[in-house]
């Protein structure tokens, strides 16, 4: 199982417009193209998860995640806010890169934890932050995922 | 969407989060090590939120929720016309009733149409 399998161009926004944590979460959720009510419920769930402790893991990266009935399979999205926003990250630094992960409560293939782990691992790669800052197109993001999987 | 279904969905999602923290050893470790979560505090917080949400249900729906909850998931998705609580077909006459609070005729679970 590789991260690349879960992403496509439509799930990537390299120029998020939001200026706050809530704005960013809403923009990431919008990439999943769910109906309006489902988006609202998912936003509440992600906010509740953030209230337990920020998913900003440091080095400008956050991994908002939760399980929710509003999706029927594991969904991911990536967003970049070049200027960064205050996400109450562990290191107190603004967050520029966001990986959203949402999974249904029960999954046959149980991919939620492995995908969360892979993204956390990817984020720790010393090279990744610089590369994420430099990419110019969604295809380059996808290529980076492929390259780091090798 | 029926307003009570919205609450039921949130309760179910919060319970999924709670279950994962309490029962999923690897998940709990990841939340602690990568995200620096205090699991005991998080579970307490989730319990409070769940209680708060349950209080927002009407007595009849809360009672039904608690009855079903004892024997399985109280809210389940309907995918391709199938109830994912008992894997039986849900009549299309039911799934077409947008805005209604639907329950499965077989397992009694509250239904959330994902089709």
């Amino acid at each position: 199982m590789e991260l690349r399998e879960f992403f496509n161009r439509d799930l990537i926004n390299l120029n998020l417009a939001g200026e706050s944590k809530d704005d960013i979460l809403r923009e990431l959720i919008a990439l999943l193209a769910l109906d309006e009510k489902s988006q609202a419920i998912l936003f509440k769930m992600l906010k509740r998860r953030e209230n337990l402790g920020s998913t900003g893991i440091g080095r400008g990266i956050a991994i908002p995640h939760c399980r929710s009935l509003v999706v029927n399979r594991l969904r991911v999205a990536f967003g970049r806010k070049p200027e960064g926003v205050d996400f109450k990250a562990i290191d107190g630094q603004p967050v520029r890169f966001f990986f959203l992960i949402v999974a249904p409560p029960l999954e046959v293939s149980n991919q939620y934890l492995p995908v969360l782990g892979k993204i956390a691992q990817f984020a720790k790669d010393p090279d990744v932050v610089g590369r994420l800052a430099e990419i110019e197109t969604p295809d380059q993001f996808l290529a980076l995922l492929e390259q780091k999987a090798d | 969407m029926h307003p009570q279904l919205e609450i039921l969905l949130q309760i179910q999602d919060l319970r999924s989060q709670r279950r994962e923290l309490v029962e999923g050893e690897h998940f709990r470790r990841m939340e602690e090590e990568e995200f620096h979560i205090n699991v005991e505090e998080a579970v307490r917080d989730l319990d409070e939120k769940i209680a708060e949400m349950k209080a927002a249900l009407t007595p009849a729906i809360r009672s039904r929720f608690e009855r079903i909850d004892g024997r399985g998931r109280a809210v389940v998705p309907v995918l391709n016309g199938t109830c994912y609580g008992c894997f039986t077909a849900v009549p299309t006459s039911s799934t077409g009733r947008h805005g209604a609070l639907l329950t499965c005729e077989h397992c009694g679970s509250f239904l959330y149409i994902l089709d």
Side-chain angles (χ1 to χ4, degrees):
Chain A
M1 186 269 294
E2 299 300 343
L3 288 179
R4 171 66 183 86
E5 298 165 27
F6 298 91
F7 286 91
N8 63 51
R9 290 189 198 103
D10 296 336
L11 297 168
I12 301 163
N13 181 345
L14 298 178
N15 288 297
L16 294 169
E19 297 291 343
S20 67
K21 189 171 189 170
D22 287 3
D23 291 345
I24 296 288
L25 287 175
R26 285 196 180 94
E27 274 184 274
L28 291 168
I29 292 167
L31 291 169
L32 303 183
L34 303 171
D35 64 75
E36 206 175 306
K37 272 286 179 196
S38 297
Q39 289 193 38
I41 289 172
L42 188 50
F43 175 73
K44 284 181 188 172
M45 283 306 123
L46 287 167
K47 280 281 285 178
R48 292 221 167 96
R49 169 58 191 81
E50 291 296 326
N51 289 340
L52 301 179
S54 175
T55 59
I57 58 171
R59 301 173 66 236
I61 296 174
I63 313 175
H65 59 276
C66 72
R67 283 197 188 269
S68 177
L69 271 166
V70 303
V71 295
N72 58 12
R73 61 188 160 87
L74 186 127
R75 305 292 309 275
V76 295
F78 172 74
R80 181 178 69 183
K81 171 79 179 169
E83 309 79 32
V85 293
D86 178 11
F87 214 75
K88 309 279 179 251
I90 286 162
D91 60 1
Q93 295 300 306
V95 174
R96 292 186 292 158
F97 312 110
F98 304 88
F99 292 88
L100 173 68
I101 311 175
V102 186
L106 290 177
E107 302 166 89
V108 179
S109 47
N110 212 12
Q111 294 166 318
Y112 182 46
L113 185 62
V115 168
L116 190 54
K118 283 218 170 203
I119 289 180
Q121 208 59 41
F122 175 77
K124 280 182 191 165
D125 185 313
D127 184 37
V128 155
V129 170
R131 300 283 301 277
L132 287 175
E134 285 166 5
I135 53 176
E136 289 172 0
T137 64
D139 282 336
Q140 288 175 351
F141 172 76
L142 297 173
L144 178 62
L145 289 180
E146 277 171 19
Q147 189 192 330
K148 290 296 176 185
D150 293 339
Chain B
M1 183 186 293
H2 193 288
Q4 292 281 293
L5 178 61
E6 202 175 323
I7 298 169
L8 287 164
L9 280 171
Q10 290 180 58
I11 294 172
Q12 194 77 17
D13 284 351
L14 290 170
R15 288 166 60 101
S16 296
Q17 282 191 36
R18 187 192 191 282
R19 189 176 52 247
E20 200 120 46
L21 283 173
V22 172
E23 296 170 15
E25 194 192 326
H26 295 296
F27 185 82
R28 185 171 61 238
R29 203 178 311 141
M30 171 147 335
E31 288 285 16
E32 285 174 332
E33 291 172 6
E34 301 289 348
F35 300 100
H36 301 233
I37 284 264
N38 178 322
V39 169
E40 281 71 33
E41 268 180 31
V43 170
R44 268 200 304 276
D45 192 75
L46 288 170
D47 283 342
E48 279 174 25
K49 289 282 182 303
I50 291 166
E52 215 174 274
M53 302 301 295
K54 274 190 184 175
L57 293 172
T58 64
I61 291 173
R62 185 164 57 244
S63 157
R64 183 176 184 129
F65 174 87
E66 281 165 357
R67 210 168 50 242
I68 306 165
D69 200 37
R71 54 172 205 266
R73 287 188 301 152
V75 189
V76 297
V78 175
L79 258 172
N80 302 319
T82 300
C83 165
Y84 268 58
C86 60
F87 297 96
T88 56
V90 176
T92 47
S93 56
S94 295
T95 56
R97 287 161 53 206
H98 292 293
L101 185 58
L102 305 174
T103 53
C104 175
E105 289 173 4
H106 291 271
C107 67
S109 297
F110 292 100
L111 300 175
Y112 177 56
I113 314 289
L114 262 180
D115 294 342

